[in-house]
Amino acid sequence: MGRGRQRGRSQRKHFKESRENVWKRPKSDAPDNAAVADKPTWEPFLTDNPNFEEYYKEQGIVKAEEWDLFMEFLRKPLPAAFRVNSNSQFCDEIISILENDFVKSLQAEAIEGGELEAIKPLPWYPKNLAWHSNFSRKEIRKNKILERFHEFLKLENEVGNMTRQEAVSMVPPLFLDVHPDHFVLDMCAAPGSKTFQLLEIIHGASEPGTLPNGMVVANDVDFQRSNLLIHQTKRMCTANLIVTNHEGQQFPGCRLKGPSDNLHINQLSFDRVLCDVPCSGDGTLRKAPDIWRKWNSGMGNGLHSLQVILAMRGLSLLKVGGKMIYSTCSMNPVEDEAVVAEILRRCGDAVELLDVSDKLPELIRRPGLKTWKVRDKGGWFTSYKDVPQNRRGGVIVSMFPSGKNLKDSTETTQENENGGVQDEYKETENSVVDAIPDEPVVEVSDLPLERCMRIVPHDQNTGAFFIAVLHKVSPLPEFQEKPNPRKHSSKKNADSTEKAPAEEAVVSANTEPVESPVEKVKEEDANSEKDDSLVEPEKKNTEGETTITEEKEANPSSQVAGKRKVPMQGRWKGFDPVVFLKEETLIDSIKEFYGIKDESFPLNGHLVTRNTDTSSVKRIYYVSKSVKEVLQLNFAVGQQLKIASVGLKMFERQSAKEGSSKPCSFRISAEGLPVILPYITKQVLYTPMADFKHLLEHKSIRFPDFVNPQLSQKATDLVLGCCVVILSDGEEPVKADASTIAISCWRGNNSLAVMITPADCQELLERLAERTPKTEGGSVDGNNGDSVAMETA
């Protein structure tokens, strides 16, 4: 016991020391010689930037008496936060583990590190689904004391029961008021945590056992980051998602020129839009301390116009009566209140800024600013009239609180004409207004910008965030609905879970598709911290599927004399086409093999592939009614949507070593099983707990080796090919519902093999262990437990 206590004290001492050294980077000149390995090879990130401090002190984003506390929190590593998937089969059990296990088991380490609590629910997030940890991500990953907690987070994140997400990043979807029948657009979606959250809300509010009538379109400008987005949302197992790859400001409306009797919708518009734009990202300093050395005020100035254009495009795609969130992870008013003020001026009475101060009362937030300044090249400007002529290319009128071009009455008409109002649209509010010469102008916005929300780090130990909720009450002015003529391109930090600075690039201003590859993201700084949940975009997923194919040469487009070429349907460069599966023989064979009745779960018209040749189809995806309607519209308008992923992978072609012919060559995918399970009447095997755990532990069981001898004959009676094994306590078949635990398996000649990932096997075993009495024997020796041993090729 004495040694154990001593070892525990030693571990806690090491843990406490590590807490003080979590922000370190290798020295660039660190020696490689092993003989000097005992010397320090790390130096701390500098959490200091005089320009940053001067800028935000001048802007007055916090009171003077709070400044030191504000900076103290900014210099601390960001505590890790995570969210339990409300639609997970094991949601209640996971919350129980957090409350009854980790809250207590980690408490000693929290106190040793100077914290009152190790983990706790975020008080403002509904139903205790979101949790705050007083350990940083790096601490959780590197310290042995937290190893069990780290492994728990990794596993639950991998199988989709949990999402590791910054606390303030969880806020915007909660203010969107999403309903299960809503069409939702996430304009700048990667890496996908908020998209996952939106899908949770849509599915959670729908009737159990049914697919919601709504859907989410998740868009990102870069096709490599689209892979990351797809990987995140794939864990949701949803048929109500389309992932697209467009510049947000060019997102197509898919508007038909005339009515169609065959389509339910004639343009793509949305009930809700999340416009979480690329930004300078200084609200993420606690998570990405390298921003300290990179930060300058010009980062926000350079993004302002792009942010306005993205927000305006989002509002143009929003239905009348709909809501849009504009948000950033920046504290800069030029990227925040200035953008909101500008879009309100452009939209006039068509859009209102909502007061949501009565929502989420336990979330500490501060009102938006009414006045601010603009800094450029070391100089401060309180009004556009103060900006020198040679700086009006970088500082534009919409950056200021009034949004008006205040001019001295003594200035000449020529100066008025060449004043350089760098705005995309001419508006009466931006017209020249006379000001008294030499009188300093301190502009105060006359718009209700206090309705915006600012979240600052020291209020609830988080990152910083800005949120505005906009309501579209009538159609936008006609000139606002047109495509914007300015040319911008947005990019994001590929390693960060939030947005990062964008850079301008010349792109086509036409909203029709063009056959040009999307600009690639620059290689990020090697010191940027990656989230455990992220994967390299180029890698395949756990079932060997490559989400986005290698680039293929597109077939020549049809050419109309005197007009530009229009790409053929499904011919986006780098993307396989989306094709409705219409091969009746194939669909009927699947329905017959699994006993699926079309009236209970229609497959016809809801199955799509990414291959035009039916004979070589490898994967079949299921789409909801809403996604089906959007795809039909997309075909009708010439495939304007560049689709990276669509629907839920339901079936996958499987070849067997046995070489004998099978009634059906398509197995049910692990992602698709929860949706189709209640409608399967054939190829089902009900097993008690002992055999179900035996199968998960060994990954494969020969028929004579079942614990229950009756199962041997039942398994033998199954047809060769895919089957579904359901955990059942009784002998009689039960009606599958949301609580039913089932896995896809393969019935070979002499054995049954699981067809799920090792992580899924491990997670299921852990959940079942909590339900199984301790007296029920030990685990069975599994020699092939590290791999899925299937009798398949």
Side-chain angles (χ1 to χ4, degrees):
M1 292 293 292
R3 290 182 180 178
R5 284 195 296 270
Q6 184 178 3
R7 183 166 56 250
R9 285 194 296 269
S10 175
Q11 286 179 330
R12 282 192 289 272
K13 180 181 178 183
H14 170 75
F15 175 68
K16 185 175 181 180
E17 291 173 350
S18 68
R19 287 178 65 89
E20 299 169 355
N21 296 280
V22 292
W23 278 10
K24 297 293 182 69
R25 62 181 175 188
K27 290 183 178 179
S28 58
D29 56 350
D32 295 329
N33 192 341
V36 292
D38 56 342
K39 295 183 179 180
T41 58
W42 298 87
E43 63 180 10
F45 276 113
L46 292 176
T47 56
D48 183 61
N49 187 319
N51 292 330
F52 174 88
E53 294 198 45
E54 179 196 356
Y55 185 83
Y56 282 117
K57 277 184 178 179
E58 190 71 22
Q59 298 289 19
I61 62 169
V62 296
K63 296 177 182 178
E65 58 267 26
E66 295 180 78
W67 182 260
D68 290 341
L69 183 62
F70 168 69
M71 291 300 297
E72 178 186 339
F73 270 78
L74 273 183
R75 290 183 170 118
K76 291 180 180 179
L78 182 71
F82 50 90
R83 183 171 44 78
V84 181
N85 180 358
S86 58
N87 296 307
S88 166
Q89 191 174 27
F90 303 110
C91 175
D92 293 339
E93 294 179 39
I94 292 171
I95 293 177
S96 177
I97 292 171
L98 292 169
E99 293 174 339
N100 301 316
D101 181 352
F102 288 114
V103 165
K104 299 174 183 177
S105 64
L106 298 177
Q107 189 60 28
E109 283 70 35
I111 293 174
E112 188 75 19
E115 304 288 351
L116 295 177
E117 297 172 290
I119 61 172
K120 61 182 179 181
L122 290 170
W124 45 266
Y125 203 98
K127 301 179 181 178
N128 280 5
L129 289 169
W131 288 68
H132 166 97
S133 161
N134 275 314
F135 311 112
S136 71
R137 289 187 302 174
K138 188 172 290 186
E139 286 175 312
I140 292 174
R141 204 165 50 234
K142 298 294 184 182
N143 287 281
K144 288 291 183 182
I145 292 177
L146 302 177
E147 184 174 4
R148 187 170 73 91
F149 183 51
H150 180 222
E151 292 301 319
F152 170 78
L153 293 179
K154 281 202 308 181
L155 178 61
E156 300 302 337
N157 181 84
E158 183 176 351
V159 299
N161 290 335
M162 187 181 289
T163 298
R164 304 181 71 178
Q165 182 180 4
E166 186 176 351
V168 289
S169 174
M170 305 176 194
V171 176
L174 298 181
F175 284 104
L176 258 186
D177 187 29
V178 174
H179 297 177
D181 60 342
H182 280 167
F183 278 41
V184 184
L185 172 63
D186 191 349
M187 292 187 70
C188 310
S193 297
K194 295 184 189 68
T195 305
F196 197 101
Q197 204 173 346
L198 292 169
L199 288 166
E200 281 184 52
I201 297 171
I202 282 181
H203 281 273
S206 61
E207 291 294 325
T210 64
L211 291 179
N213 292 323
M215 62 164 295
V216 175
V217 175
N219 178 70
D220 196 80
V221 64
D222 186 79
F223 68 88
Q224 290 182 328
R225 284 178 59 80
S226 294
N227 260 342
L228 184 59
L229 170 59
I230 293 164
H231 173 81
Q232 282 274 52
T233 52
K234 169 190 170 185
R235 302 172 303 131
M236 184 64 196
C237 300
T238 177
N240 296 65
L241 173 68
I242 299 177
V243 177
T244 59
N245 181 210
H246 292 276
E247 290 175 327
Q249 66 271 30
Q250 308 287 346
F251 195 88
C254 297
R255 195 181 298 243
L256 280 177
K257 293 182 178 179
S260 174
D261 296 333
N262 301 322
L263 300 177
H264 291 86
I265 53 178
N266 60 6
Q267 70 179 54
L268 193 54
S269 56
F270 298 90
D271 302 278
R272 300 290 187 265
V273 174
L274 177 57
C275 187
D276 189 43
V277 297
C279 64
S280 58
D282 54 25
T284 67
L285 277 167
R286 302 184 67 184
K287 181 177 62 179
D290 202 37
I291 294 177
W292 281 104
R293 69 177 177 85
K294 296 178 179 179
W295 187 93
N296 63 77
S297 59
M299 295 164 66
N301 292 353
L303 286 163
H304 172 84
S305 293
L306 172 62
Q307 291 162 342
V308 171
I309 299 171
L310 284 167
M312 289 304 304
R313 184 56 183 157
L315 286 169
S316 70
L317 293 166
L318 186 66
K319 296 177 182 177
V320 172
K323 294 178 183 178
M324 185 180 91
I325 294 284
Y326 174 81
S327 61
T328 77
C329 53
S330 167
M331 296 179 281
N332 193 342
V334 173
E335 302 177 70
D336 298 339
E337 286 89 351
V339 174
V340 174
E342 176 63 9
I343 61 181
L344 289 176
R345 286 189 292 266
R346 292 187 180 187
C347 297
D349 295 334
V351 172
E352 64 175 336
L353 179 60
L354 295 181
D355 180 1
V356 291
S357 56
D358 60 330
K359 309 295 184 184
L360 302 183
E362 292 187 279
L363 174 67
I364 302 175
R365 83 292 297 265
R366 302 186 179 208
L369 304 178
K370 298 277 285 187
T371 182
W372 60 89
K373 303 176 183 179
V374 178
R375 183 178 175 86
D376 182 63
K377 298 294 184 181
W380 285 98
F381 306 107
T382 59
S383 173
Y384 188 70
K385 84 177 187 65
D386 301 327
V387 182
Q389 293 290 334
N390 63 348
R391 295 306 311 143
R392 294 189 176 185
V395 178
I396 61 180
V397 66
S398 60
M399 292 179 180
F400 293 89
S402 74
K404 296 178 181 178
N405 183 7
L406 300 174
K407 304 293 289 184
D408 288 345
S409 58
T410 55
E411 291 187 7
T412 64
T413 304
Q414 184 64 33
E415 287 173 332
N416 280 330
E417 291 176 353
N418 298 329
V421 179
Q422 301 290 324
D423 210 350
E424 285 77 19
Y425 301 100
K426 294 179 180 179
E427 300 184 72
T428 57
E429 290 85 353
N430 285 348
S431 59
V432 175
V433 179
D434 288 340
I436 300 175
D438 301 325
E439 180 177 329
V441 177
V442 178
E443 294 190 4
V444 179
S445 176
D446 58 357
L447 297 167
L449 297 179
E450 69 279 359
R451 296 177 183 175
C452 300
M453 291 173 279
R454 282 183 164 267
I455 300 175
V456 293
H458 58 289
D459 279 344
Q460 286 183 304
N461 196 12
T462 64
F465 223 76
F466 174 86
I467 302 160
V469 185
L470 299 157
H471 178 218
K472 187 174 181 179
V473 296
S474 62
L476 300 186
E478 184 179 352
F479 59 86
Q480 301 291 2
E481 299 281 5
K482 297 178 181 179
N484 194 289
R486 295 193 63 162
K487 301 176 181 181
H488 292 276
S489 176
S490 60
K491 299 185 290 184
K492 297 183 198 173
N493 182 330
D495 290 340
S496 171
T497 57
E498 300 302 327
K499 311 298 179 296
E503 298 177 9
E504 290 190 337
V506 176
V507 298
S508 170
N510 198 302
T511 56
E512 292 292 323
V514 291
E515 293 191 345
S516 60
V518 181
E519 186 180 16
K520 294 185 177 180
V521 176
K522 290 183 178 179
E523 184 178 355
E524 292 301 314
D525 192 285
N527 295 321
S528 296
E529 182 181 357
K530 291 187 179 181
D531 192 301
D532 291 330
S533 66
L534 306 189
V535 295
E536 292 298 326
E538 295 81 12
K539 291 184 180 179
K540 294 184 178 181
N541 64 33
T542 53
E543 294 196 4
E545 175 185 359
T546 303
T547 314
I548 297 180
T549 61
E550 296 180 359
E551 292 193 358
K552 300 177 180 179
E553 290 299 324
N555 290 340
S557 303
S558 58
Q559 176 71 47
V560 180
K563 298 182 180 180
R564 67 175 183 83
K565 295 182 179 180
V566 177
M568 294 176 64
Q569 291 190 1
R571 297 303 181 184
W572 283 102
K573 189 173 184 181
F575 293 83
D576 285 333
V578 177
V579 180
F580 278 104
L581 183 64
K582 298 180 180 179
E583 184 60 47
E584 296 290 341
T585 304
L586 175 57
I587 297 174
D588 289 343
S589 69
I590 292 174
K591 291 194 292 187
E592 172 61 27
F593 186 75
Y594 295 107
I596 302 170
K597 297 180 180 179
D598 201 61
E599 59 271 16
S600 61
F601 189 76
L603 294 181
N604 297 70
H606 289 265
L607 299 179
V608 300
T609 75
R610 305 304 295 258
N611 197 321
T612 53
D613 184 2
T614 306
S615 62
S616 58
V617 168
K618 294 182 179 179
R619 301 174 189 90
I620 301 174
Y621 301 85
Y622 185 83
V623 297
S624 66
K625 178 177 178 291
S626 53
V627 172
K628 172 186 174 182
E629 291 174 358
V630 171
L631 291 178
Q632 289 172 331
L633 173 65
N634 192 41
F635 286 128
V637 297
Q639 199 106 332
Q640 291 179 16
L641 286 176
K642 188 192 299 184
I643 297 176
S645 176
V646 62
L648 174 66
K649 187 173 69 171
M650 186 68 73
F651 304 107
E652 190 162 13
R653 188 181 293 274
Q654 186 76 38
S655 58
K657 286 183 178 179
E658 291 87 345
S660 57
S661 60
K662 305 182 297 298
C664 180
S665 299
F666 284 85
R667 66 179 178 92
I668 300 173
S669 73
E671 300 101 298
L673 180 59
V675 173
I676 201 172
L677 179 62
Y679 310 100
I680 299 173
T681 60
K682 296 181 180 179
Q683 290 295 98
V684 178
L685 184 66
Y686 296 89
T687 64
M689 178 70 78
D691 279 306
F692 198 85
K693 291 178 64 177
H694 192 137
L695 186 58
L696 291 173
E697 290 170 348
H698 284 265
K699 311 299 187 297
S700 178
I701 299 180
R702 295 179 63 82
F703 294 153
D705 296 336
F706 279 105
V707 177
N708 186 336
Q710 295 180 352
L711 284 179
S712 176
Q713 184 58 48
K714 291 181 179 179
T716 304
D717 292 342
L718 294 173
V719 179
L720 181 69
C722 180
C723 64
V724 176
V725 175
I726 297 178
L727 175 62
S728 174
D729 294 331
E731 293 289 334
E732 298 297 326
V734 294
K735 175 65 176 177
D737 56 27
S739 64
T740 304
I741 298 177
I743 56 174
S744 294
C745 292
W746 188 264
R747 191 276 197 201
N749 284 336
N750 303 299
S751 65
L752 199 67
V754 300
M755 304 190 75
I756 60 175
T757 66
D760 284 320
C761 285
Q762 180 186 348
E763 199 272 341
L764 275 174
L765 282 170
E766 292 187 5
R767 297 288 79 79
L768 295 178
E770 296 164 10
R771 302 182 179 187
T772 307
K774 301 283 186 180
T775 57
E776 189 193 77
S779 62
V780 185
D781 178 33
N783 296 325
N784 56 349
D786 293 332
S787 61
V788 179
M790 296 184 293
E791 292 188 47
T792 57

